[in-house]
Each structure stands twice: as structure tokens, then as C-alpha cells.
Amino acid sequence: MNDPYTPSGPEAFDRLWAELEPLGRDPGSGGYHRHAWNGSDAEVRAWFTEAARSRGLDVRADRNGNLWAWWGDPGPGAVATGSHLDSVPDGGAFDGPLGVVSALAAVDELRRRGVRPGRPLAVTVFTEEEGGRFGVPCLGSRLTAGEISPERARGLTDAGGTTWARAMEAAGHDPDALGADPGALADLDVFVELHVEQGRALEETPHPVGVASAIWPHGRWRMDFTGRADHAGTTRLADRADPVLPFAHAVLAARVLAEQHDARATVARARVVPNGTNAIPSLVSAWLDARAADEDALEAVVSGVREAAGLAAREHGVGLEVAAESRSPLVSFAHGLRDRLAAVVASRAPGPGVPVLPTGAGHDAGVLAAHVPTAMLYVRNPTGVSHSPREWARPGDCHAGVLALADVLQDLLARPAREERG
Ligand code: HGY
Ligand code: MN
Ligand code: MN
């Protein structure tokens, strides 16, 4: 029986989105700088906590700073849905927040439908999914999954040299508590993440909502080119050890290799030391973001870049160290769950053939997929643009995402949990 006093999912979505959207937005670019434990992050965490509590959800931060808002006492058989609120530097409004706002709105939609979960339902916010401040993506979910050591996480530093431990402590969390949380994962029967599509595949279809099939293998590699500081105007070319030159070779090699292997390779972040116009640098640190549809293609790109960078470094008398900072294997979402979501989404879809799509974008769902049955829903992105202030999704498509997520959660909650299914 519908509850007329609880807003529908779409109504709740619009209200929640209007509250969240201004928080941490750069008035100049319109982008966001929401990074783990910074001021904007504190704002959006406070917003989430209030929005969840006002729905009667019990909000808890786990030992890694991830937020879990519970409808029902935490325990075995739990269904969880959520995403992240942090952004890339000057990122868009939808990547992450769309999944969190849709999850809260789906709770309202379920309540309005009179659904009373027979098992715990959690809305989650994972911390530092983008790695925008401390460099390792999905840091909160990797810690909970035991896929990064607490020691390494505590020592990660931001551009100013602040460690994760200090930043976490300043935000009121205990860095000594960091670590895997096998109990929390064991309680999870299923995790579903709704996310804005970071591509245009859905835009080519009549479907506002699609389902994820896989996440490409991908990773981040740090390259340190060590040269010799010297005068830009008086040092003869033959006497230079200029680290910028092998760096430039690496960047161009990444592009050529990505074309050859139909992969994606990007060097979007670099640090030149001392970064003076008239001083040959002593050091260039640069980060390669590489992704491909399969492990062989990814390996071909990364080893090719490493080889080109090494050759050029030797030619210019420059040292080179390359280190993998994060590495995510191919994720293939559980087929039964994937197909079940596609069937549920189809019940409200504008036509047959709900798209089931792979993506080159990493997600917390990709980390959890190795530990918990996991699935993802995508909401149509008309331009495909993401990691940019221009990222946008139509309100009507966002509403379709909320209703689809509510349908999926209602379907999952109505089924026996894994252990009950045997
Ligand atoms: O970079 C990614 O794939 C994601 O946005 N963290
Ligand atoms: Mn992202
Ligand atoms: Mn994301």
C-alpha cells in the first residue's frame, strides 16, 4: 500500500540533488575538489549523514572512514548500495554522487511502496574512490577488502606532504584502526552501485539505464626521471642530463601504444623539480594511467612505455624508476546477478534489449566484486563526458535510475539471502 506522505524516488532525488550540488563546487570552473578529509569532503559527509539520519537510517563510519547508513541492524544477508562523494580535481557533479543520491532516494521510493526489508539494507559512501588526493583509487574499499595494507595507506601523502594518517586523524578518525573488515564483507549478500555512464553507449539507444558487464583491467604507474639540475642558458646540449626529454618520449610512446592496442593510456599528472623556467630540472615525476579490454593488451602498453622511457633515459644520461601505484584486474560481474538486474530493469525499460556494457572506469564495485556478489547500473550520459565540470545527465534519466535501483533493491530484498539459498 503506497504511503502518500513519503516522497517518491524522483521527488526525493530532486530535493537531495539540490542540497548536494552546491557543496564544494568551484564558482569559477563549476567543477568540484572533493578529496578525502579536505573541507569539501567534510561538508558532503555531513550532508550525507544528515540526509540518512533524517530517513531513520543509522549512520556509521567504518575503520577506514567509509560511511554505512543502515535500514535495520547490520548483520548477515545485508543488501548494500552506494558509491562515492569524492571527485577528481575539478571533477563533475555526477561521478559518484549520482549513485549516493539515487540510493537515498531509492530508500524513500521503497518506503513509499510500503516495502519493509526483511534483511538489513545499507547505503554506503566509500572514501577516496578517485585517489584524487592520495593517489590510490578506491582506497576506502581496498582497505576494507584487505587489498592494500594499512601501513601503506597510512604513509600515502598528498602533494603537500600530508599523510593519510594525519589527514584522517585531523578529520576525527583513528588511523591506527585502519584495516581489512572481513566481517563487514561476510555480512554483505550483495552490493549494487549505480553510476553515471562514462561513455556514450546508452545515448545511442532508447534506454536511460543499462547494466555493467565488466570493468577493464587498469592501473597507475609512477615514473621518476632523475636528471641533473643545471643552467638552461649556459649548459651545452651535450653536457645535459635533462629528465624532461625521456618524459616526453614516454608520453608520446603511451599514445602510440594505446592506438596500436586499442587501449587507453594517459599521462595527465606530472611534477617538475624545481620547475623553474631557466633551470634544467633535477627530477620529473609522472604518472601513467593505462587501461585495456584485456590483460595482454594492458601489459603490452605498459611494458612498451617502460621500454621507450628506459631507452630515452639512457640516451640522455637520466635515471628512471617505474613503480606500479595501483593495479586492478579485469572484473567480470557475476553473470546471474547481472542478468537478474537486466531483467528487473527491462520491466520498466522503453523497449527490449537493456544494454549490458563493459567500462574502462574503475569503481568500488570493482573492488568488492572479488569478495561479494556485485553488480552495477549505469545512467545515460548524453555527452559521455566525465572527470570534467561538463559532466551531466538528464533529470528524467536520473529519475529512471532511481526507479530502476528501487526495483532492483526490492527484488533483491524479496529473495532469500545467499546462505538461505544454500
Ligand atoms: O579513474 C577511474 O576509473 C574512476 O573514476 N575512479
Ligand atoms: Mn571517476
Ligand atoms: Mn566514480
Side-chain angles (χ1 to χ4, degrees):
M1 203 272 279
N2 281 359
D3 165 4
Y5 301 104
T6 300
S8 71
E11 288 165 342
F13 178 90
D14 290 344
R15 289 179 201 166
L16 289 161
W17 195 259
E19 292 166 1
L20 175 62
E21 198 178 20
L23 303 185
R25 183 172 56 200
D26 180 321
S29 68
Y32 294 84
H33 297 269
R34 295 169 179 163
H35 307 305
W37 317 123
N38 76 356
S40 299
D41 185 50
E43 272 190 288
V44 296
R45 292 167 75 94
W47 165 81
F48 173 79
T49 302
E50 173 49 34
R53 283 183 179 153
S54 69
R55 286 164 170 74
L57 306 182
D58 173 18
V59 184
R60 305 176 183 195
D62 68 16
R63 64 184 58 153
N64 300 310
N66 305 308
L67 295 176
W68 299 71
W70 289 98
W71 185 0
D73 294 333
V79 174
T81 181
S83 192
H84 60 96
L85 291 173
D86 67 299
S87 70
V88 296
D90 207 32
F94 293 79
D95 175 352
L98 183 65
V100 173
V101 172
S102 299
L104 289 170
V107 166
D108 284 0
E109 176 65 19
L110 291 175
R111 278 223 170 91
R112 195 182 62 82
R113 295 178 187 178
V115 172
R116 291 294 172 266
R119 349 201 217 119
L121 173 64
V123 175
T124 62
V125 178
F126 287 103
T127 300
E128 187 74 342
E129 190 273 348
E130 296 291 3
R133 180 177 176 189
F134 292 94
V136 173
C138 300
L139 187 54
S141 53
R142 286 180 202 265
L143 276 162
T144 294
E147 294 194 7
I148 183 170
S149 73
E151 296 72 29
R152 181 173 173 223
R154 274 191 279 269
L156 292 173
T157 58
D158 67 7
T162 303
T163 63
W164 173 268
R166 288 295 70 74
M168 184 178 190
E169 198 167 39
H173 297 261
D174 175 10
D176 292 334
L178 282 179
D181 198 340
L185 295 182
D187 279 347
L188 281 190
D189 185 53
V190 60
F191 176 72
V192 179
E193 179 169 3
L194 179 144
H195 205 282
V196 66
E197 186 195 354
Q198 294 161 305
R200 300 191 72 252
L202 288 176
E203 186 62 9
E204 316 293 337
T205 79
H207 292 275
V209 179
V211 176
S213 58
I215 296 177
W216 282 13
H218 61 283
R220 298 180 183 190
W221 285 262
R222 173 175 172 153
M223 300 179 285
D224 285 305
F225 300 89
T226 310
R228 189 174 54 247
D230 216 327
H231 194 298
T234 58
T235 311
R236 296 184 317 146
L237 298 187
D239 297 335
R240 295 181 177 212
D242 181 350
V244 174
L245 294 168
F247 161 55
H249 275 275
V251 173
L252 294 173
R255 177 54 182 248
V256 168
L257 286 154
E259 285 167 355
Q260 286 170 351
H261 295 277
D262 191 19
R264 311 285 186 271
T266 314
V267 181
R269 177 179 165 216
R271 195 170 58 220
V272 180
V273 175
N275 209 29
T277 305
N278 57 353
I280 299 172
S282 56
L283 170 69
V284 174
S285 297
W287 283 263
L288 169 69
D289 176 313
R291 318 188 185 205
D294 60 71
E295 299 285 357
D296 291 346
L298 178 60
E299 180 49 36
V301 170
V302 176
S303 55
V305 172
R306 195 191 291 266
E307 187 183 336
L311 209 58
R314 281 189 296 280
E315 185 187 333
H316 291 280
V318 168
L320 171 63
E321 284 185 34
V322 181
E325 287 206 332
S326 69
R327 183 70 168 81
S328 304
L330 171 71
V331 170
S332 183
F333 289 109
H335 291 188
L337 187 59
R338 176 201 67 191
D339 296 344
R340 184 156 191 105
L341 261 71
V344 171
V345 170
S347 65
R348 204 184 281 271
V354 170
V356 179
L357 307 164
T359 179
H363 301 285
D364 293 306
V367 173
L368 294 184
H371 306 270
V372 175
T374 299
M376 288 191 71
L377 292 176
Y378 292 135
V379 169
R380 182 161 51 189
N381 175 339
T383 64
V385 168
S386 186
H387 288 188
S388 158
R390 291 188 300 118
E391 184 183 68
W392 182 74
R394 298 183 185 94
D397 288 353
C398 295
H399 296 161
V402 171
L403 294 174
L405 181 60
D407 293 345
V408 161
L409 294 173
Q410 188 169 359
D411 175 72
L412 291 169
L413 288 164
R415 301 168 63 202
R418 255 182 302 164
E419 55 275 7
E420 292 159 20
R421 292 197 297 271

